[in-house]
Amino acid sequence: MINTLICDRLASELGLGTADLGLLGSIYFLILTGSQIPMGMLLDRFGPRRVQGALLLLAAAGAALFGLSNGFLSLLIARAVIAFGTAASLMSGLKTVVLWFPRERVALINGCMIMLGALGAVTATAPAEALLNWIGWRGLFEVLAASSASAAASIYFLVPEHEATAKRPGTVSLKTVYTDGRFWRIAPISSTCIGSAWALQSLWAASWLSDVEGLDRTSLVTQLLAMAIALSIGALLLSVVADSLRRHGKNIETLLSIVAAVFIAAELALILHPPFPSLPSWIVVAVVGSAIVLSYAIIGDYFPAQLIARANGVLNVLHFGWAFLVQYGTGLILEQWPVKDGHYPSIAYQTAFSMNVVLQLVALVWFIAPWFKELNWKSEIAVKRKSTGQSRSVHVMIPSAEMVILETDHDVEW
């Protein structure tokens, strides 16, 4: 999230353009995209303590290099090293939750974990702004390097090892994930919405607020702080709701579809820019970034425990990949319009955001289409029953739209 605050300083000090800033921010997501599946395999094999402890040292080295950089190429390399060093951070937390907590409470504990992790977004607003004014962006990254190294040591030496980690995991195949129809039903809506929310909040929200809303620096940082707090609280609230729905036998997928629809509506409000404050729309964008707790809860119901890290890794490939495309693509689209008084026109943002919304609508229709088929089937049965004039009660078993028939795979332990 830190690029949101320092992009203006980098642009003025090092002469970076909008496309450069877009690539500098999005390279983080590109590296995460390429490393999610290998990280999932490492986590399943060696456990989160050793993997996370080692990788955070790389993140510390990347932060130190970023603070010493004097050109775009060195900044890009440093940013990539930071990304690789934090590539397993999210999944290591998810894997730890699976190892240490009952499966029926995974959704709630994941939400608590992501809520705490999202506090990093909070520190990347007003607290980071105070440090920037005090020690500059280079000094800030040296602080990040030291804190990351400290976290790596704490994880490696203090976190206990779970006994399941010492055992060699059963032979499982990613084919189980890639050939599951349920996965490809949820993947488009999850990636286009959550990935877009990450891309917007971590870079383009600040630019939009400055160029379109005309906010000064203080008001901008305050609104970014509100968004970061919403991201953190949203993870907890969504996990509590998901946990409650699960305990009452309700479908979490319905909640995900509602969140996606509200997200699309919020983006349309930003595009149309009606004469009322944009903060509620940006709050929705931030909360949707935390809706990943719902996706993980749904994925957790699809696959066995020993495949969870890899299944989450496959889904994260799409999340981070889409975030990369949106963040870099938005920068490229904005550069098609001339800058006036240091700001891009509203039409540039409207064009970039609109292209994203269209794809999200398609993904939402794909996600809910099986429900309409099921409702249509039930309606046809009701009409046929009514036409026969029979009054006796008949129980009809309707196969769930999410159910699939899996061929026997002797290489997979369930």
Side-chain angles (χ1 to χ4, degrees):
M1 295 293 183
I2 194 61
N3 277 12
T4 309
L5 281 189
I6 66 173
C7 60
D8 290 341
R9 297 170 187 254
L10 294 178
S12 60
E13 183 175 330
L14 302 177
L16 304 183
T18 306
D20 294 331
L21 292 173
L23 181 58
L24 187 61
S26 61
I27 191 67
Y28 187 90
F29 294 115
L30 181 62
I31 297 298
L32 292 179
T33 300
S35 59
Q36 289 306 290
I37 293 177
M39 292 302 171
M41 294 179 177
L42 289 173
L43 287 169
D44 282 338
R45 179 65 184 89
F46 298 105
R49 182 185 68 86
R50 285 179 282 182
V51 174
Q52 180 71 355
L55 286 177
L56 273 182
L57 290 177
L58 282 179
L65 177 60
F66 197 98
L68 298 172
S69 297
N70 291 307
F72 175 70
L73 181 59
S74 58
L75 287 173
L76 194 66
I77 295 173
R79 179 77 169 165
V81 174
I82 294 173
F84 190 76
T86 59
S89 296
L90 179 58
M91 283 198 297
S92 66
L94 299 173
K95 180 68 175 181
T96 301
V97 170
V98 170
L99 288 175
W100 287 97
F101 294 93
R103 186 154 186 169
E104 63 272 13
R105 308 315 301 273
V106 164
L108 177 61
I109 306 301
N110 277 347
C112 294
M113 184 270 294
I114 293 176
M115 176 200 69
L116 294 173
L119 292 177
V122 177
T123 66
T125 55
E129 178 74 358
L131 283 175
L132 285 172
N133 294 330
W134 180 32
I135 58 177
W137 65 270
R138 296 182 185 277
L140 174 59
F141 271 85
E142 300 308 325
V143 171
L144 291 174
S147 59
S148 297
S150 176
S154 299
I155 290 172
Y156 190 82
F157 292 108
L158 299 181
V159 173
E161 191 76 82
H162 194 279
E163 59 182 10
T165 305
K167 301 176 182 178
R168 183 177 179 83
T171 304
V172 290
S173 172
L174 285 175
K175 181 182 178 182
T176 308
V177 180
Y178 283 120
T179 57
D180 195 314
R182 299 168 300 177
F183 176 84
W184 290 112
R185 179 170 160 252
I186 188 178
I189 190 65
S190 184
S191 58
T192 56
C193 289
I194 295 171
S196 295
W198 290 348
L200 295 177
Q201 184 176 2
S202 62
L203 184 60
W204 296 120
S207 298
W208 190 95
L209 292 170
S210 177
D211 294 348
V212 179
E213 288 284 294
L215 298 186
D216 57 28
R217 182 71 177 182
T218 302
S219 300
L220 187 151
V221 172
T222 301
Q223 188 147 328
L224 292 177
L225 174 61
M227 292 175 61
I229 293 173
L231 173 65
S232 182
I233 296 177
L236 180 61
L237 291 179
L238 289 176
S239 65
V240 170
V241 174
D243 184 67
S244 177
L245 290 174
R246 173 166 287 170
R247 285 188 287 107
H248 290 86
K250 303 297 183 180
N251 194 343
I252 302 178
E253 293 184 353
T254 303
L255 178 59
L256 179 61
S257 64
I258 294 173
V259 170
V262 173
F263 178 52
I264 292 172
E267 289 179 294
L268 288 174
L270 294 174
I271 293 169
L272 299 175
H273 197 215
F276 54 76
S278 63
L279 181 57
S281 295
W282 284 113
I283 291 295
V284 171
V285 171
V287 171
V288 171
S290 67
I292 195 170
V293 300
L294 303 179
S295 301
Y296 290 147
I298 295 170
I299 289 294
D301 291 335
Y302 290 169
F303 302 102
Q306 65 266 35
L307 195 57
I308 289 297
R310 267 165 276 194
N312 287 335
V314 174
L315 187 60
N316 282 341
V317 167
L318 302 176
H319 286 147
F320 294 128
W322 190 258
F324 164 77
L325 292 174
V326 171
Q327 199 163 84
Y328 186 40
T330 299
L332 292 176
I333 292 173
L334 292 181
E335 284 204 338
Q336 304 310 307
W337 277 265
V339 178
K340 184 178 182 181
D341 298 327
H343 300 288
Y344 285 98
S346 298
I347 185 62
Y349 291 94
Q350 290 171 332
T351 302
F353 290 5
S354 296
M355 295 175 64
N356 204 20
V357 167
V358 169
L359 295 172
Q360 290 163 2
L361 283 170
V362 173
L364 179 59
V365 171
W366 171 262
F367 184 64
I368 65 177
W371 296 342
F372 287 107
K373 292 180 181 179
E374 183 174 329
L375 288 174
N376 184 54
W377 189 1
K378 290 181 178 179
S379 299
E380 290 180 357
I381 292 175
V383 170
K384 290 180 180 179
R385 291 292 305 147
K386 186 175 181 179
S387 64
T388 61
Q390 299 177 3
S391 59
R392 64 186 179 86
S393 176
V394 177
H395 296 280
V396 182
M397 298 298 295
I398 306 296
S400 171
E402 296 104 42
M403 292 178 62
V404 296
I405 299 175
L406 295 176
E407 295 183 0
T408 302
D409 187 347
H410 296 292
D411 292 330
V412 179
E413 292 183 3
W414 292 91

